[in-house]
Amino acid sequence: MSHLSRFRCALRPLAWAAAVTCIATPAGVGAQTAAVLPDVTVRADQDGRLPLAPSAQRERQRLEQLPGGTNLIQPQQAARLATLRDALDYQPGIVLQDFFGATDQPRLSIRGSGIQSNPVNRGVVLLQDGLPLNEADGSFVIGTLEPRNAALVSARRGANTLTPSATTLGGELDFQSLTGADEQGVVRAEVGSFGRKALQGALGLVGQQWDGRVSVSSDRFDGYRHHSASRRDALHANVGFQSGGVENRTYLSWTDLAFEIPNVVPKDRVRSDPRGVMGDGSTPQDKAINIYQRDPRRETQQLRLANRTRWGSDSLRQEVGVYWQDTDDWFKDPAVSTRTDSTTFGAQWRADGQVGAGLQWHTALAWSRSTMDRTLNAVSPANGRDLQRFGAYDLTADNLQAQVGAHWQFAPAWSLVGQLGGSQQRRDATSRQTGQTLNQQWTFATPKLGLNWQITPSTRLWANISRSQEAPTFWEIVTGAVPNPGNPATAVSGLTKLKLQRATTWELGGQGQWGTGNRATHWQLALYRSQVADEIMSVTDANGLSASTTNYAGGTRHQGIEAGLSGSFALGQGALDWRGSWTLSDFRFKDGIYAGNRIAGVPRHLINAEVLWRIATTSGTWRVGPNLRWMPRATPIDHANTAGSTQDSYALLGLQLQWQQGPWMAYLMAENLTDRRYASSFAIRNQATAAQPGYLPGVGRSVTVGMRYKF
């Protein structure tokens, strides 16, 4: 048993004790506690929030200075928050493709970055309270994110990043944690179709110069498909102190994630048997990749500690952040069992200043290191147990990064934004079995230049040009495969030398509103084109298992449109609240073997929309209305664009009913009302046939009911 597993066993009863305490606290007790607490006297910004506490107002002001596409999401306004889709739905430019519809590993992509990774693990920098959640090699386990603990999510797409660690084409997503000042306590409970159950309890406290919060959550899902059960237990806590002009905040998170993998099936089974897996039939493919016998799954435990300190004034403000995380990850596909024990340390320093009324500047440094012990074993076709070890690697990733930037208001309606980043990244790998060594180092710059034009107080246009660079992760460098799944003795592993993925991106767009007040319509539009060199491409074999990773030599082009609209207008005694997004992704090979073809991986069109009729009554505020997730055109699943090898178009209709009064909120969510049989995602190949296992059937008709009580 690893040290992290022992910690997990000790921590689980403490987590549940905290949950029971939160749930059992009566409303009256909470009210009495609030009555005797002294007033907060800490130094705060104009919106009343401490600098290290999440603030939608402050984050909105910061994003409005960036000359490019961004998203500001406030997850606590949503009803259900069990999955990443619940938090990030209806957002332009953010593409989420469900794998199994639970707390597993949805495919996340922004502007096509990381779409080739399997499992999804790169292309976007995930931040937890401004500090990287990725390992130092750029990889991440997306299922460790807990949307219920986020006060807001700030998405800075493409070049519009704010941290020196974000150098990729996709940009960064910053999940900023709720603090003790945000809510005194909350209880959530949810149940739904296919064994969906979720429970959360959180407690917040506020003192004269401090605040603290602890949240525990647990999710269970039996799964829509066979062999697709999942669970996640998590604890998140933070405590902040302020003295004079100095503020400090410490964060703790622990996640225990596990899910079964039903894997891919041939295209015809998406319609004929969407809940089935390979092994339900009697074909040679079913016998070769029997999911019940091979038992593919993922189990990840992660412990993370972080600390941020901030001090200074508008003329010079500095912040230092440090973090440590230990991750035990076991990823087993039907043929290969990969175990990774990683430890990551990181530090980040940033200074912001202002010269006169028109010039703001910043500079930042970041360092991170991950050491990983990775082993690969063949999987027994008979019972899924680990067989011979065919790979054992010592892996070290190091990053040293710097950034300088400025925002110059050179005219009342015009501002120029420039930023220059420099990175030195190392990926060192050694095989303990063969002695093979592959040490790689890249040094590169990531400049960007943008222009803002504030046409009116509520309308802004922008343009920018930027350079992005992405080094491969160890998931691409360390390869392991079983060429013949029926013969585990054929398992082989090795080290792959890869180049940086590089891109130059141009972006035009704007945002604003029509009208004023609560009835205003808000809009956002971004158009971009990226010329990509040496794009990192990972593909699967005939059985849907990982096969190889290469740099595509012919060049690729990513271009698209990211559009969002939201608003409200009066209807009878209430109002209609609506929002929608359209993300167009036109990704193609420029030259080479697939010249002119579409790059497999992301839908060309993705449209999400929701309309809720809101009406206030004496019994509470009601919201009811439909929602739509629509992929109007088929998407190729292979780079050869083989006829018939596509993810077919689909439209999913849902319905939501909410009721809220005072501290109480209840909801009912119905999804895929027409019980549409469709593929939610797929395995990417160079060339595919419809008969090969390659599709992940989406979840059928389902219903979730839940409640939330704040005290």
Side-chain angles (χ1 to χ4, degrees), residues 94-114:
I94 300 177
V95 176
L96 276 173
Q97 296 171 284
D98 288 334
F99 268 37
F100 322 128
T103 54
D104 43 68
Q105 52 186 40
R107 180 178 285 159
L108 169 70
S109 176
I110 297 177
R111 301 186 176 178
S113 187

Side-chain angles (χ1 to χ4, degrees), residues 135-136 340-345 369-373 394-397 474:
E135 309 291 357
T340 308
D341 184 2
S342 63
T343 302
T344 297
F345 294 90
R369 166 175 285 190
S370 291
T371 56
M372 302 180 180
D373 178 350
D394 291 325
L395 311 172
T396 302
F474 286 123

Side-chain angles (χ1 to χ4, degrees), residues 136-152:
D137 71 333
S139 65
F140 54 79
V141 181
I142 197 168
T144 60
L145 290 169
E146 170 54 287
R148 282 170 295 216
N149 192 59
L152 58 88

Side-chain angles (χ1 to χ4, degrees), residues 80-349:
R80 193 181 73 182
L81 277 176
T83 68
L84 203 58
R85 175 176 293 284
D86 293 334
L88 301 181
D89 229 353
Y90 311 107
Q91 296 298 323
I94 300 177
V95 176
L96 276 173
Q97 296 171 284
D98 288 334
F99 268 37
F100 322 128
T103 54
D104 43 68
Q105 52 186 40
R107 180 178 285 159
L108 169 70
S109 176
I110 297 177
R111 301 186 176 178
S113 187
I115 59 175
Q116 306 297 324
S117 60
N118 183 35
V120 58
N121 57 40
R122 67 172 181 86
V124 176
V125 173
L126 302 179
L127 303 170
Q128 186 74 58
D129 300 296
L131 299 173
L133 190 64
N134 303 52
E135 309 291 357
D137 71 333
S139 65
F140 54 79
V141 181
I142 197 168
T144 60
L145 290 169
E146 170 54 287
R148 282 170 295 216
N149 192 59
L152 58 88
V153 181
S154 180
R156 282 89 74 163
R157 307 193 301 267
N160 306 295
T161 56
L162 294 169
T163 58
S165 302
T167 67
T168 67
L169 178 63
E172 61 191 9
L173 279 171
D174 187 4
F175 287 74
Q176 300 183 24
S177 301
L178 289 161
T179 70
D182 290 300
E183 58 184 19
Q184 190 174 24
V186 66
V187 177
R188 296 177 188 264
E190 301 166 354
V191 295
S193 303
F194 315 118
R196 186 187 296 275
K197 297 182 286 290
L199 181 67
Q200 182 208 11
L203 181 66
L205 296 173
V206 178
Q208 187 171 2
Q209 291 185 302
W210 65 274
D211 71 78
R213 183 178 187 271
V214 60
S215 168
V216 291
S217 60
S218 180
D219 295 87
R220 298 292 185 272
F221 187 45
D222 294 340
Y224 170 70
R225 296 180 62 195
H226 304 160
H227 195 78
S228 64
S230 63
R231 65 168 174 81
R232 181 180 62 196
D233 298 313
L235 180 147
H236 293 267
N238 66 81
V239 59
F241 298 91
Q242 193 271 346
S243 178
V246 179
E247 185 192 359
N248 179 274
R249 189 167 293 272
T250 300
Y251 307 86
L252 165 70
S253 62
W254 166 76
T255 306
D256 184 3
L257 170 72
F259 54 88
E260 298 172 331
I261 301 175
N263 223 52
V264 291
V265 295
K267 188 173 184 178
D268 64 332
R269 298 197 191 183
V270 173
R271 294 188 179 277
S272 65
D273 185 19
R275 303 187 71 173
V277 298
M278 302 305 294
D280 286 325
S282 57
T283 68
Q285 286 179 326
D286 285 279
K287 295 177 182 178
I289 308 293
N290 188 306
I291 297 302
Y292 302 107
Q293 293 177 350
R294 293 178 179 269
D295 190 29
R297 60 180 56 246
R298 189 167 200 171
E299 297 182 5
T300 304
Q301 298 86 40
Q302 185 179 84
L303 175 65
R304 175 181 169 93
L305 288 169
N307 182 274
R308 297 167 67 197
T309 302
R310 189 172 183 178
W311 69 95
S313 62
D314 289 342
S315 60
L316 177 60
R317 179 174 285 110
Q318 299 185 68
E319 180 180 319
V320 172
V322 294
Y323 61 97
W324 168 89
Q325 63 188 35
D326 193 297
T327 308
D328 289 345
D329 182 41
W330 177 35
F331 177 74
K332 183 173 74 165
D333 69 22
V336 177
S337 172
T338 304
R339 295 179 184 267
T340 308
D341 184 2
S342 63
T343 302
T344 297
F345 294 90
Q348 183 173 287
W349 167 81

Side-chain angles (χ1 to χ4, degrees), residues 65 314-315 353-361 407-412 414-415:
Q65 290 189 329
D314 289 342
S315 60
Q354 185 167 327
V355 180
L359 180 62
Q360 300 174 18
W361 60 268
H407 178 279
W408 178 31
Q409 190 84 33
F410 63 88
W414 296 85
S415 61

